[in-house]
């Protein structure tokens, strides 16, 4: 008989996280945890994800917890694509429908806004403002284009969106960590590998010059926090190089990455979950984010060869 994670004191990082997930997570994150760590099925993950799917082909219903309400949004849809990618289901008719939605909500230059104006009237985090004519954003476009290319999806929408990403990535000078992460999500999936490697090398130098990664985890106070971020909202090497074959892994020495992973391991809290470092603006969104962050922390540790149990 399988061990009940709620009836015995958990010991390993995975067992402690499992208890946290069963106590706090949405059904989607419960199914994702089961898939990644308990030999659960991809069908169950996809079924749970379908609850967030709208008739227009996009995802809504607070799939990305900082945007509340039922309407489809690019950030929700990027989140949905990442989930499909993680279970090997990013293709076929489901993605064809998503690409039609992306076409409909694109800006004049063919890319995605961070937040579509349809969000107006529904609660959202103060750091994702809703405007009537939003510009294209690498933050939303980069991860979508990267995951579609990585899965060899070809759709007319991708042509202009890809060109936008190249232009945005290659012109970045002064940036912030989340924009760098969006650029990496694009570059890690971009089909032109020599161009992607050259762009990533330049971004790596920018990250180090601007001290956008904490390389000495025992002294995070020595590193700046970007404007508008919460106190202590730092980023570490593992936040950029979540898997060893990411282009960002070349930015850091083995010692720097090891210290970063040590910090990630130590960040697991007493309740078994990992914390969010950005500004918590509503109790519900913070509660929903923590299981997502917890799953990604375990996946990162495992990808880099750390024992999680």
């Amino acid at each position: 008989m399988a061990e009940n994670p709620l009836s015995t004191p958990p010991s390993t990082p995975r067992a402690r996280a499992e208890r946290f997930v069963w106590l706090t997570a949405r059904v989607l994150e419960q199914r994702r945890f089961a898939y990644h760590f308990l030999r659960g099925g991809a069908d169950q993950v996809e079924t749970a994800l379908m609850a967030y799917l709208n008739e227009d082909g996009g995802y809504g219903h607070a799939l990305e917890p900082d945007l509340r309400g039922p309407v489809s949004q690019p950030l929700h849809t990027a989140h949905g694509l990442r989930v499909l990618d993680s279970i090997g289901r990013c293709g076929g008719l489901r993605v064809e429908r998503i690409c039609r939605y992306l076409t409909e909500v694109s800006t004049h230059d063919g890319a995605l806004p961070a937040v579509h104006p349809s969000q107006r009237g529904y609660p959202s985090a103060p750091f994702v403002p809703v405007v009537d004519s939003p510009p294209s954003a690498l933050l939303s476009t980069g991860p979508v284009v990267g995951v579609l290319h990585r899965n060899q999806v070809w759709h007319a929408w991708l042509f202009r969106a890809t060109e936008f990403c190249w232009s945005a990535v290659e012109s970045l000078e002064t940036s912030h960590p989340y924009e760098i992460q969006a650029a990496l999500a694009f570059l890690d999936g971009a089909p032109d590998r020599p161009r992607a490697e050259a762009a990533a090398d330049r971004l790596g130098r920018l990250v180090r010059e601007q001290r956008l990664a904490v390389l000495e985890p025992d002294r995070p106070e020595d590193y700046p926090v970007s404007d508008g971020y919460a106190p202590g909202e730092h980023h570490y090497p593992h936040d950029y190089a979540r898997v060893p074959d990411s282009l960002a892994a070349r930015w850091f020495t083995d010692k720097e990455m090891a210290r970063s992973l040590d910090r990630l391991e130590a960040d697991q809290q007493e309740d078994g979950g990992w914390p969010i470092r950005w500004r918590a603006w509503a109790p519900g969104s913070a509660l929903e984010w923590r299981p997502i962050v917890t799953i990604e922390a375990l996946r990162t540790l495992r990808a880099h060869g750390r024992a999680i149990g």
Side-chain angles (χ1 to χ4, degrees):
M1 181 178 294
E3 180 180 285
N4 181 346
L6 298 183
S7 65
T8 58
S11 54
T12 66
R14 186 206 56 78
R16 293 166 59 202
E18 182 180 355
R19 178 182 175 89
F20 173 75
V21 165
W22 295 135
L23 284 171
T24 66
R26 303 181 296 191
V27 172
L28 175 60
E29 281 69 56
Q30 292 178 22
R31 294 298 197 181
R32 291 190 67 211
F33 188 94
Y35 174 84
H36 289 296
F37 306 109
L38 303 174
R39 299 182 181 179
D43 288 346
Q44 288 78 10
V45 177
E46 191 167 6
T47 297
L49 182 62
M50 285 180 64
Y52 299 87
L53 185 64
N54 285 321
E55 292 183 3
D56 59 10
Y59 289 90
H61 306 278
L63 177 58
E64 204 276 11
D66 284 329
L67 296 175
R68 315 304 293 182
V71 295
S72 297
Q73 284 292 324
L75 290 177
H76 293 318
T77 304
H79 192 120
L81 283 169
R82 284 193 295 272
V83 171
L84 291 172
D85 178 47
S86 73
I87 62 172
R89 296 289 178 88
C90 194
L93 291 177
R94 65 177 70 78
V95 176
E96 177 71 25
R97 291 187 63 203
I98 290 172
C99 287
R100 287 201 297 268
Y101 162 75
L102 299 174
T103 303
E104 292 172 1
V105 299
S106 289
T107 61
H108 67 279
D109 53 10
L112 298 172
V115 182
H116 190 270
S118 60
Q119 183 66 29
R120 191 177 301 282
Y122 297 103
S124 60
F127 44 81
V128 282
V130 182
V131 298
D132 290 333
S133 299
S136 295
L138 182 62
L139 191 70
S140 51
T141 311
V144 168
V145 174
V147 76
L148 292 177
H149 278 310
R150 187 164 59 251
N151 286 275
Q152 299 183 330
V153 173
W154 294 103
H155 187 275
W157 176 80
L158 271 171
F159 291 99
R160 293 181 68 200
T162 299
E163 285 307 308
F164 167 81
C165 289
W166 279 124
S167 177
V169 168
E170 293 176 337
S171 63
L172 278 179
E173 290 297 339
T174 301
S175 189
H176 60 85
Y178 294 115
E179 195 166 37
I180 296 291
Q181 287 179 308
L184 273 169
F186 166 68
L187 294 174
D188 279 341
D192 188 340
R193 301 315 298 157
R195 188 177 180 182
E197 290 174 8
D201 287 346
R202 190 184 71 83
L203 290 183
R205 292 192 296 272
L206 184 150
V207 164
R208 296 187 75 95
E209 290 166 2
Q210 298 188 10
R211 298 170 63 79
L212 298 179
V214 176
L215 303 181
E216 299 169 277
D218 293 336
R219 293 161 49 192
E221 66 279 359
D222 292 348
Y223 291 80
V225 174
S226 299
D227 290 344
Y229 284 28
E233 192 175 349
H234 292 102
H235 284 67
Y236 296 80
H238 67 262
D239 290 312
Y240 300 106
R242 292 196 170 274
V243 293
D245 60 355
S246 170
L247 291 171
R250 306 177 186 183
W251 301 352
F252 311 107
T253 67
D254 290 346
K255 185 176 182 179
E256 288 167 346
M257 183 58 71
R259 286 199 300 252
S260 180
L261 294 169
D262 289 345
R263 171 59 188 260
L264 182 59
E265 288 180 332
D267 277 347
Q268 188 174 21
Q269 299 190 325
E270 187 175 345
D271 62 8
W274 267 261
I276 60 171
R277 293 198 299 268
W278 58 91
R279 197 179 306 278
W281 63 281
S285 64
L287 183 64
E288 291 174 359
W289 265 121
R290 287 195 63 209
I292 299 172
V293 169
T294 295
I295 290 169
E296 295 310 317
L298 287 175
R299 292 183 68 202
T300 298
L301 291 169
R302 184 172 64 183
H304 284 279
R306 293 297 178 102
I308 62 172

